[in-house]
Amino acid sequence: MFIAHVDMDCFFCACEEKRNPKLKGKPVIVGSTGQRGVVSTSNYEARKFEVFSATPISIARKRCPDGIYLPVDFTLYRKESISVMMALRMLADDVYQVSVDEAYLDIRSLVQEVGSPEKAATTIQEAVKERTGLSCSVGISPCKVVSKIASDFKKPGGLTVVADTKAFLAPLPIKKFPGIGKVSVEHYEHNGIHTIGDLAKKDRFWVLDHFGKHGVYYHKIARGEQYIGLPQRSKRKSVSKEHTFLIDEGDIQAIENKIRELSAIVHQHLHGKAFKTVSIKVRYTGFITQSRDFTLKAPRDDKETIERTALKLFNALDITNKIRLIGVKTSQLIHEPSRQLTLQRFR
Ligand code: TTP
Ligand code: MG
């Protein structure tokens, strides 16, 4: 099993630098600009001045008076985040987005295809760069907790593949475990546990007595005895989008335009998956509903095929009444090969 954790490098700042390349090379700080605000993030130039996420802006301005201070623009970051996730979905068997700038990926097939987890990590970084111009760090291991620690290991642009979990974790401070906060760290240190290796050396019952069930959870990971995977997700069988007109529509041109619009949305929601069947649904005034579908000879993953097929199905209908609702659906989704189809574009 190979789980990758992908985390964008100084994400908000990187988005700002992409929008305004003149910012590159200068210390940039994004956060609420008022005196009482805190820093959301800073780029690596600003971090040299000890300005980090959650540093009060007033302190940041003292430490880095020549920094460029920008307000938070979530609309921009959300847009970039969507593009990043689209790039990831084209490569992975499954993607679990956990925040605006990070995701876990099941990359079993990718590793097989490119030959090694290192190459898979490079492929991911290049794909994200090509699609968005942004840089990310990647950690790969069989356990999601370890992959998250690994992606943070050599930021920015980091690439860390963990072959020996126990050896990799041993020298790291216990606070590197996601979920072990300040209070827990004090408790662990008070009991002589400073590094993850210190925990691994202890007996399981001692750990249970001192740190409870949570402690045992981390203890097993520290010893490389437990791999935390990604939750199983049932694969979607179809992707569809419908539209109900405010007033029943009789203008064929307007309905065709709506079909084009719905096809584009369906295509976007497929996230690169291929499909074999395209269907339309038409509901007339009075609720009479018709649906038609067409199965292609071979799977396709492009918007034009959805649009063309949906329009053809629509034009073949004998329409005698106004239309209340129109829907476009793709089904017989191909989860694995579609990823390979799209992968070829990165080569
Ligand atoms: P992070 O991934 O923690 O940080 P980052 O991407 O800026 O930098 P790094 O290279 O170390 O990964 O968080 C992602 C974004 O979330 C970050 O750009 C801004 C936002 N954020 C906050 O708004 N407040 C916070 O306290 C943190 C930690 C992040
Ligand atoms: Mg980040």
Side-chain angles (χ1 to χ4, degrees), residues 21-39:
K22 283 189 192 142
L23 296 172
K24 282 204 176 108
K26 297 176 184 154
V28 177
I29 297 112
V30 173
S32 36
T33 43
Q35 277 303 302
R36 264 192 290 209
V38 292
V39 173

Side-chain angles (χ1 to χ4, degrees), residues 104 144-145 148-149 174-181 217-218:
Y104 292 103
K144 69 179 232 189
V145 179
K148 185 170 167 77
I149 296 172
I174 195 82
K175 70 166 184 215
K176 286 283 175 187
F177 268 136
I180 296 201
Y217 168 84
Y218 291 120

Side-chain angles (χ1 to χ4, degrees), residues 6-12 41 44 47 99 101-102 155:
V6 177
D7 190 292
M8 303 304 293
D9 299 325
C10 49
F11 184 56
F12 290 6
T41 197
Y44 286 85
R47 289 181 198 188
S99 82
D101 89 322
E102 59 178 319
K155 261 184 168 287

Side-chain angles (χ1 to χ4, degrees), residues 4-263:
H5 181 258
V6 177
D7 190 292
M8 303 304 293
D9 299 325
C10 49
F11 184 56
F12 290 6
C13 286
C15 297
E16 297 289 351
E17 285 172 30
K18 179 181 170 185
R19 172 161 60 185
N20 178 7
K22 283 189 192 142
L23 296 172
K24 282 204 176 108
K26 297 176 184 154
V28 177
I29 297 112
V30 173
S32 36
T33 43
Q35 277 303 302
R36 264 192 290 209
V38 292
V39 173
S40 297
T41 197
S42 50
N43 67 0
Y44 286 85
E45 283 79 5
R47 289 181 198 188
K48 288 180 199 151
F49 295 87
E50 304 276 299
V51 173
F52 306 107
S53 296
T55 303
I57 289 282
S58 52
I59 293 178
R61 283 194 192 274
K62 278 185 200 132
R63 289 183 187 164
C64 186
D66 296 328
I68 295 164
Y69 290 79
L70 299 171
V72 179
D73 179 357
F74 278 116
T75 312
L76 174 68
Y77 315 142
R78 217 170 287 129
K79 194 184 115 223
E80 293 294 348
S81 173
I82 289 170
S83 303
V84 169
M85 297 304 153
M86 295 251 283
L88 299 180
R89 282 196 182 96
M90 289 199 171
L91 296 173
D93 298 311
D94 217 341
V95 175
Y96 287 81
Q97 184 175 356
V98 280
S99 82
V100 71
D101 89 322
E102 59 178 319
Y104 292 103
L105 278 57
D106 175 348
I107 52 161
R108 268 176 284 192
S109 310
L110 182 64
V111 171
Q112 221 170 32
E113 201 168 321
V114 297
S116 73
E118 287 79 5
K119 272 198 194 144
T122 317
T123 307
I124 292 167
Q125 286 176 323
E126 285 172 0
V128 170
K129 188 81 169 190
E130 184 174 308
R131 185 155 194 147
T132 67
L134 302 174
S135 110
C136 64
S137 297
V138 181
I140 298 178
S141 85
C143 172
K144 69 179 232 189
V145 179
V146 180
S147 300
K148 185 170 167 77
I149 296 172
S151 75
D152 193 48
F153 194 60
K154 284 189 222 146
K155 261 184 168 287
L159 187 168
T160 305
V161 176
V162 180
D164 181 339
T165 299
K166 200 175 166 190
F168 169 70
L169 294 177
L172 303 179
I174 195 82
K175 70 166 184 215
K176 286 283 175 187
F177 268 136
I180 296 201
K182 244 187 187 162
V183 178
S184 302
V185 168
E186 276 171 25
H187 184 47
Y188 276 95
E189 292 195 335
H190 180 74
N191 285 283
I193 307 291
H194 300 275
T195 64
I196 298 180
D198 293 337
L199 184 69
K201 278 185 219 137
K202 292 289 182 187
D203 170 80
R204 183 157 163 200
F205 292 104
W206 183 90
V207 175
L208 184 63
D209 285 347
H210 287 78
F211 310 113
K213 267 197 282 184
H214 273 104
V216 173
Y217 168 84
Y218 291 120
H219 183 243
K220 280 192 202 158
I221 296 170
R223 290 164 77 105
E225 288 172 358
Q226 183 159 1
Y227 297 139
I228 314 292
L230 301 179
Q232 283 296 312
R233 194 153 41 190
S234 61
K235 293 207 162 130
R236 287 182 81 167
K237 291 200 166 61
S238 66
V239 172
S240 62
K241 183 77 187 158
E242 297 181 347
H243 173 81
T244 306
F245 293 100
L246 280 176
I247 302 165
D248 294 359
E249 187 60 81
D251 178 5
I252 297 296
Q253 193 93 46
I255 299 162
E256 286 182 350
N257 284 340
K258 189 49 80 178
I259 290 174
R260 288 188 187 96
E261 228 174 84
L262 295 173
S263 301

